[in-house]
Structure formats: structure tokens, C-alpha cells
């Protein structure tokens, strides 16, 4: 059985370092294809390029977004910058043909290595003694959270992405859905993929960008373009629900940061990410 | 008058997109050249390549470190990926000749744009109403902090970097210098460049990596190699002292993150960064 994410983010080797992909319309949200999914497609090519290296986890992945992706064929060009015994560094660019011209969508730098299981012993007592983890965010029980699968028809039409997810938002910061944003700049909830694909280091690239943007909770319903998204996968998740928290602390200078933390069902911090997103310009601010 | 940072991070145009630089021995710390300074040298080449674009501030810069830099000549190869009216995206790689072979030191993706002055009005009341900033860290008065210029001779010999800075560490998290790390995973203090060069968006690339690593405050005195460092410059600093805070919240899975926030003397958040650094491996842990 192939899970949906693996099927829709699959890449096919073409020639040296070049992979073909097909961005799936199921991952569209608003006017474009979800940035985390696009990053995962690029990372799938990076992983394939390093298949013989013995390490395939995206330890650190930075995506710089160049133009909005659209459903359809895509090409990922990879270039291994450093091949090491324990980790390697790769550059990749995902592009699409637009009116016969190849247009870059996202360019990526990544370190690929091996991510240990959550709570795996450090192997040395001195390092083990330093262990600390950001504790998991407190969320209401899953059954008390807001199922995004129950969103109104028009929302589900503009965000087919929601059908890929089983997302239960903390009602305390889901009021924007009914016109009452909390203003806290926080969006958080329980998440798993709709077909229950077990989370792994690679799928966390999708997880960190799957929730509605914190700008919704600020009262800005429009699209906030991502300049840059960096994801650090810190520990290997166990199967089950993930807790995901998005928050922003500084909205100034025309931008805001969206920090994301992800914990697995065992309570381990498995990923952290930060993206820099642009505030709507004056002329585009919804009234 | 040329300030030290501008002089030592200067680049000279060679051929299309290629710049020559000279990594200065004054920025050495421990066994290598400081990562923030190396990032600033790469950013200087990126800025030069976009000199005609009308935007020169490093809005977002991600450096992936490939090998330790050494003092001496370096080459920065830049490639403009997207040239826009308000911001552009550039890739760059800084390399050095090692025994006749060119070795990459750091590879960079960056968005260059224009950073507004701290507290500049958003231009639209709806966006202005959303303004929020992480408040500046509370620090003891400058004169009650620990002057790193007063460090013992042997420290100053292995860290000539300290002579480039006027750094006053909060004594609450400077105990590692006398063998008593606080264990909090925090290093913070007041900072300006030693020759009082006014801070600007570009110099903040150096600022976010200038303090001793948080691993010192954890009781790990050794070198913690940086996998990746991303810097977001959020607002343009005023002249004066900067407040800088480094903290880590998760030390697990063989790595720790070092989050850095920088505020200017007016109290505005001017930069944020995060780096992923590797914990010493078992065989290398200091006893």
C-alpha cells in the first residue's frame, strides 16, 4: 500500500541529479500549492540522490520561495555539495514550465543525515546529562478540538489541502474561522495525515507548514507569502498524533516570523521550523 | 574612515558574479574563522552583485557550513536566482584553495531587500494595528556586565575575535568562564563593534554569531560545529549598543538549536536567527 503523501511527492530519476515530479492538485491551498509539500518534493529528490550514502533524513532543510507553484509537472535539479560519512549537504531547485519557459519555484539547501529516535540515549553520560526538551504544548483533548474536515464547503473547495490532513485545531485559536481571531498570533492543534501514514523525518517537512498561517489568528485572512522556511528535524517521531504549534512574536518591518514546533505522541520534540512571511502591502490589506 | 568590519569583509569584483575576499585572522575563534563573519563576507559579495538593483539589505540569509574556514584568500561565487523590484534572491558559495584544490566553506541562500527603520509605520492602519515586538531582554547595566576584553591572555590568544567586539556579558550566564556554567543554556549581553562602527542590517550577520555559544553555558566548552545558520534582519538598527540574547531549549538527538535575538538601543527587535549545532560525539566529549 502506498500512502497519499508518498505517491503525490514521488520523484523519478531522469538524468544525472535531475528528477521529475508531479505537483498534485490535492495539495493546493488558496491560490498555490502548499509550500511544505513542495519542499517535501524537493527533499524527495535530494533523498533519492543520496540513496547510496546510507543517510536519508532531512536534518536541516531551507527553502527559499521564488514563485508560486501550480499543480502539474515539475523538475528538481539536485547538486551534492558535500558527501560525508554521516551527513551530506545538497542544493536543489524545483522548477516548472510556464508558457514554455522553465520557472524556478523553490530553491533549497539541505543537510541530510540520520535522525535518532526520540529520547535515544546520547551514548555519553556527560552529553546525556545535558538533555532537555521543550515540553509539548498543552492542547485540549482531540475530541474537543475543531475538525477542519468539517469546514464549510467553500473553504474545502479553496483548500483541498485540508482533505490530506486529519487536523484538529485548538478552539482557543480557531476563532478566525468564524470571524473572531484571538489576536494572539497562535494556531495549534493535533495533526496526522488523513490516511494515517505514520510520521517520519521526511513527512515532518509537510507537517510544519500544514496548519493555517498565524496571520489568520492576527485577523489577516489574506495570503502571506513565505520568503524562507527552514526546518530542523530533531528526533524521529513515533507513530500516532502530532502536536503542532505555530506562533509569531514580532509583527513589524513588513514581515512576521512563524515559528513551529512539532511533538510526537510520546511527547518528544521532533521538529522545529521558522518561516519569514511578508505582511500584505498597504494596497492589498483586506478591509 | 573605514571601519574594521568593512575593511576585513571587503570583496573585489573579479569576473561575472565572482568576488575575491581575504578572511582576516582577527576574526578567528578557536580553530577556525567565525561563522558570522564568513557569512557577512559572502553577503558582501551578494550585496555587490545587486548594487544596481536598489536594494542591498540581507532580509534573510541562510548559511550551510561545509568546512572550517581559515584566514587567507577566499572566493565568493554568486548567482542571482530572481531579480525583483523590491527584493531579489541570490545563491553564493565561499571557497578557499587548500593544497591547490578549491574547497567550499559555506554555501548561502539569501533574499536581499530593503529593511525599514525600527518602528517605521506600516503605512496602513489595519497592518499597523497588528504591530507587536518581542520586548528587549532585561540586562544589568552595561557597567555591571563582564567585559570580554578583560578575559585572560590565553583566552584572548585563542579568540582574537574578542578584540573586534566591545562585548559585556550578563554575569548571570558568564559563570562558564570561571568553570561554573549556569546550565540554563543562555548567553546574553550588550554588544557593539570595538571601533564603534554603527550597526546596520549587514553587520547584524556578524552580531548574531559573535557571542560565545550557549553550549558553554551548558558546560560543554568544546567546539560545537554549526550545521546551518539562518538570519532574519527585521528592522534597521539605530546607532548604539545592541542587546543580544542566545538561548537553547532543546538539547537532544545529537544537536541543539541556538536561537538569537538582537535589539537596538531604541528597544526594537532588529534581527532574529537560529542555528542548528552538533553536540560533541561521545568520543570527543570533554570529561
Amino acid at each position: 500500500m502506498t500512502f497519499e503523501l508518498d505517491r503525490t511527492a514521488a520523484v523519478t530519476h531522469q538524468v544525472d541529479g535531475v528528477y521529475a515530479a508531479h505537483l498534485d492538485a490535492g495539495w493546493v491551498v488558496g491560490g498555490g500549492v502548499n509550500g511544505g509539500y513542495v519542499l517535501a518534493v524537493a527533499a524527495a529528490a535530494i533523498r533519492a540522490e543520496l540513496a547510496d550514502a546510507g543517510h536519508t533524513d532531512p536534518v536541516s532543510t531551507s527553502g527559499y520561495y521564488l514563485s508560486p507553484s501550480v499543480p502539474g509537472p515539475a523538475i528538481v535539479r539536485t547538486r551534492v555539495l558535500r558527501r560525508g560519512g554521516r551527513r551530506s549537504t545538497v542544493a536543489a531547485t524545483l522548477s516548472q514550465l510556464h508558457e514554455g519557459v522553465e520557472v524556478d519555484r523553490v530553491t533549497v539547501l539541505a543537510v541530510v543525515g540520520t535522525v535518532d529516535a526520540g529520547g535515544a540515549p546520547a551514548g555519553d553520560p556527560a552529553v546525556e546529562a545535558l538533555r532537555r526538551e521543550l515540553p509539548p504544548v498543552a492542547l485540549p483533548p482531540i475530541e474537543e478540538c475543531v475538525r477542519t474536515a468539517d469546514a464549510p464547503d467553500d473553504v474545502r473547495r479553496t483548500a483541498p489541502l485540508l482533505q490530506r490532513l486529519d487536523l484538529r485545531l485548538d478552539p482557543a485559536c480557531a476563532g478566525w474561522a468564524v470571524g473572531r481571531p484571538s489576536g494572539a498570533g497562535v494556531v495549534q492543534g493535533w495533526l496526522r495525515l488523513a490516511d494515517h501514514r505514520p510520521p517520519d523525518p521526511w513527512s515532518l517537512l509537510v507537517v510544519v507548514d500544514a496548519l493555517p498561517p498565524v496571520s489568520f489568528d492576527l485577523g489577516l485572512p489574506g495570503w502571506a507569502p513565505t520568503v524562507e522556511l527552514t526546518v530542523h528535524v530533531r528526533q524521529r517521531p513515533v507513530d500516532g498524533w502530532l502536536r503542532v504549534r505555530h506562533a509569531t512574536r514580532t509583527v513589524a518591518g513588513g514581515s512576521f516570523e512563524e515559528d513551529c514546533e512539532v511533538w510526537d505522541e510520546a511527547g518528544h520534540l521532533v521538529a522545529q521550523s521558522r518561516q519569514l512571511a511578508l505582511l500584505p502591502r498597504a494596497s492589498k490589506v483586506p478591509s
Side-chain angles (χ1 to χ4, degrees), chain A:
Chain A
M1 167 184 182
T2 310
F3 291 106
E4 189 170 57
L5 177 60
D6 302 275
R7 198 171 60 243
T8 57
V11 297
T12 313
H13 187 246
Q14 304 292 299
V15 292
D16 282 1
V18 180
Y19 294 81
H22 188 97
L23 301 187
D24 192 90
W27 291 95
V28 162
V29 56
V33 181
N34 174 256
Y37 162 71
V38 174
L39 197 63
V41 173
I46 290 170
R47 183 179 57 182
E49 189 64 13
L50 286 173
D52 63 339
H55 45 254
T56 56
D57 295 331
V59 171
S60 178
T61 309
S62 297
Y64 277 68
Y65 293 87
L66 297 160
S67 62
S69 297
V70 296
I75 287 288
V76 186
R77 298 179 195 281
T78 66
R79 197 158 49 92
V80 177
L81 304 177
R82 195 184 75 90
R83 193 180 279 265
R86 304 187 69 226
R87 64 189 69 83
S88 300
T89 308
V90 186
T93 299
L94 183 147
S95 57
Q96 294 187 295
L97 277 183
H98 178 70
E99 296 175 357
V101 178
E102 198 170 318
V103 178
D104 292 345
R105 300 307 192 195
V106 64
T107 186
V108 177
L109 286 173
V111 165
V112 176
T114 302
V115 172
D116 288 341
D124 184 280
V127 168
E128 187 60 33
L130 300 174
R131 177 192 299 279
R132 66 194 67 196
E133 287 187 62
L134 188 66
V137 60
L139 293 173
I142 292 172
E143 58 279 10
E144 292 173 21
C145 289
V146 178
R147 262 173 69 105
T148 56
D150 297 336
D153 279 355
D154 59 330
V155 172
R156 286 188 290 139
R157 252 194 309 278
T158 59
L161 162 76
L162 291 178
Q163 297 164 45
R164 312 277 83 71
L165 312 171
D166 188 353
L167 172 59
R168 316 292 180 100
L169 292 176
D170 182 347
C173 29
W176 50 265
V178 289
R180 288 194 297 273
S182 84
V186 173
V187 174
Q188 60 191 26
W190 300 93
L191 177 71
R192 58 181 177 183
L193 291 171
D195 61 3
H196 299 190
R197 178 195 191 279
D200 64 15
W202 172 71
S203 75
L204 294 175
L205 300 179
V206 175
V207 168
V208 298
D209 195 43
L211 270 59
V214 289
S215 48
F216 284 15
D217 188 52
L218 296 173
L220 278 176
W223 183 54
T226 300
V227 171
E228 184 266 336
L229 167 61
T230 293
V231 189
H232 295 156
V233 176
R234 304 294 304 274
Q235 302 187 84
R236 183 176 302 277
V238 297
D239 194 6
W241 286 93
L242 299 168
R243 294 173 205 236
V244 185
R245 181 171 199 268
H246 284 189
T248 189
R249 297 180 302 174
T250 297
V251 181
S255 62
F256 63 97
E257 87 282 1
E258 179 169 285
D259 284 349
C260 175
E261 285 118 20
V262 183
W263 296 266
D264 69 2
E265 206 169 286
H268 287 296
L269 183 97
V270 292
Q272 275 183 306
S273 73
R274 174 174 289 163
Q275 58 179 283
L276 184 69
L278 298 175
L279 286 165
R281 298 192 59 188
S283 59
K284 293 182 188 167
V285 174
S287 54

